[in-house]
Amino acid sequence: MRDVAAAGASTGPRVLPRNDPRQYDDLAGEWWRPDGAFAMLHWLAEARAALVPPATRPDALLVDLGCGAGLLAPHLAGKGYRHVGVDLTRSALVQAAEHGVRVVQGDATAVPLPDGCADVVSAGELLEHVPAWPRAVAEACRLLRPGGVLVLDTLNDTALARLVAVRIAERLPTVPRGIHDPLLFVDARALVAECARHGVDLSLRGIRPQVGGMLAWLLRRARASRTAGAVPAGRAPRIVPTRSTAVLYQGRGVRKG
Ligand SMILES: C[S@@+](CC[C@H](N)C(=O)[O-])C[C@H]1O[C@@H](n2cnc3c(N)ncnc32)[C@H](O)[C@@H]1O
């Protein structure tokens, strides 16, 4: 039987299975709180956006699969894309729309958009939530026009990732309890092979939060929770490259013609 976890940090003790998408409804108020339960998604969105090249033509389209509340949007400002977000969770899409994303409620494994429509497809922190992740990869590649760019980040299917991203991170304020099902983590080699099958040569690199910034952030949060005050302003931890892809990794690839 699957593990279960309390999902409602902000709204009470509803108990849901791991990776149940209803957790995003319970946590809807957290998306845009820079120091809230989804803080790390903000840091990752900034790092993902850095992989997105400026648009090379007018009306270029970026499709953001599993866009959540549109945290990528501010980091794309000035790059010249129309930003379309696809997600299962309506409460998240409402917030994405408020941040300028054109939203489509749908499943990343069957996206209601035409072949080759996208100059860029982003799949940030999505694949490790999709039981049939190869189908989401096939969809991402199908949406890309030849020469289009795929950017993604996800968690690797390793014992170290399960230790760090579930057992440790779920005890810290960086990852909501129960949000991940470690059985769904994405083997990096299998992901590269799947992308290649669909015409995208994916390059990977490991990433992690910068240690000093992360410790300073945890300290600011701990002090604020002791005094029940707001978290004092400070630089958000940066996401930096690391040699190993064993836990968290980014991928970038170009769709062949
Ligand atoms: C960890 S959040 C990441 C959100 C966003 N990409 C970000 O980085 O801020 C995962 C998102 O994927 C969505 N999701 C999960 N499974 C999905 C699926 N099969 N199709 C579309 N969206 C899905 C969830 O609703 C949630 O908004």
Side-chain angles (χ1 to χ4, degrees), residues 70-165:
L71 303 188
L72 192 60
H75 307 291
L76 296 175
K79 294 211 181 207
Y81 292 96
R82 285 179 296 136
H83 183 180
V84 169
V86 179
D87 203 287
L88 289 177
T89 304
R90 179 175 289 278
S91 58
L93 290 173
V94 168
Q95 297 182 54
E98 286 165 4
H99 288 82
V101 182
R102 295 173 204 200
V103 299
V104 177
Q105 188 170 19
D107 193 317
T109 62
V111 180
L113 293 172
D115 296 2
C117 65
D119 298 79
V120 175
V121 173
S122 169
E125 300 302 301
L126 168 72
L127 297 178
E128 72 273 24
H129 296 285
V130 181
W133 67 258
R135 290 191 46 204
V137 167
E139 281 295 82
C141 298
R142 177 186 70 78
L143 294 171
L144 278 178
R145 67 171 178 78
V149 176
L150 174 64
V151 297
L152 57 82
D153 39 79
T154 190
L155 286 160
N156 206 342
D157 181 19
T158 63
L160 187 61
R162 290 187 281 278
L163 173 71
V164 173

Side-chain angles (χ1 to χ4, degrees), residues 31-93:
W31 282 108
W32 282 93
R33 289 183 55 223
D35 292 303
F38 291 136
M40 193 162 164
L41 291 180
H42 288 257
W43 319 337
L44 286 162
E46 182 178 13
R48 188 179 322 119
L51 302 181
V52 175
T56 54
R57 56 182 188 154
D59 245 18
L61 178 67
L62 181 146
V63 177
D64 187 356
L65 297 179
C67 65
L71 303 188
L72 192 60
H75 307 291
L76 296 175
K79 294 211 181 207
Y81 292 96
R82 285 179 296 136
H83 183 180
V84 169
V86 179
D87 203 287
L88 289 177
T89 304
R90 179 175 289 278
S91 58
L93 290 173

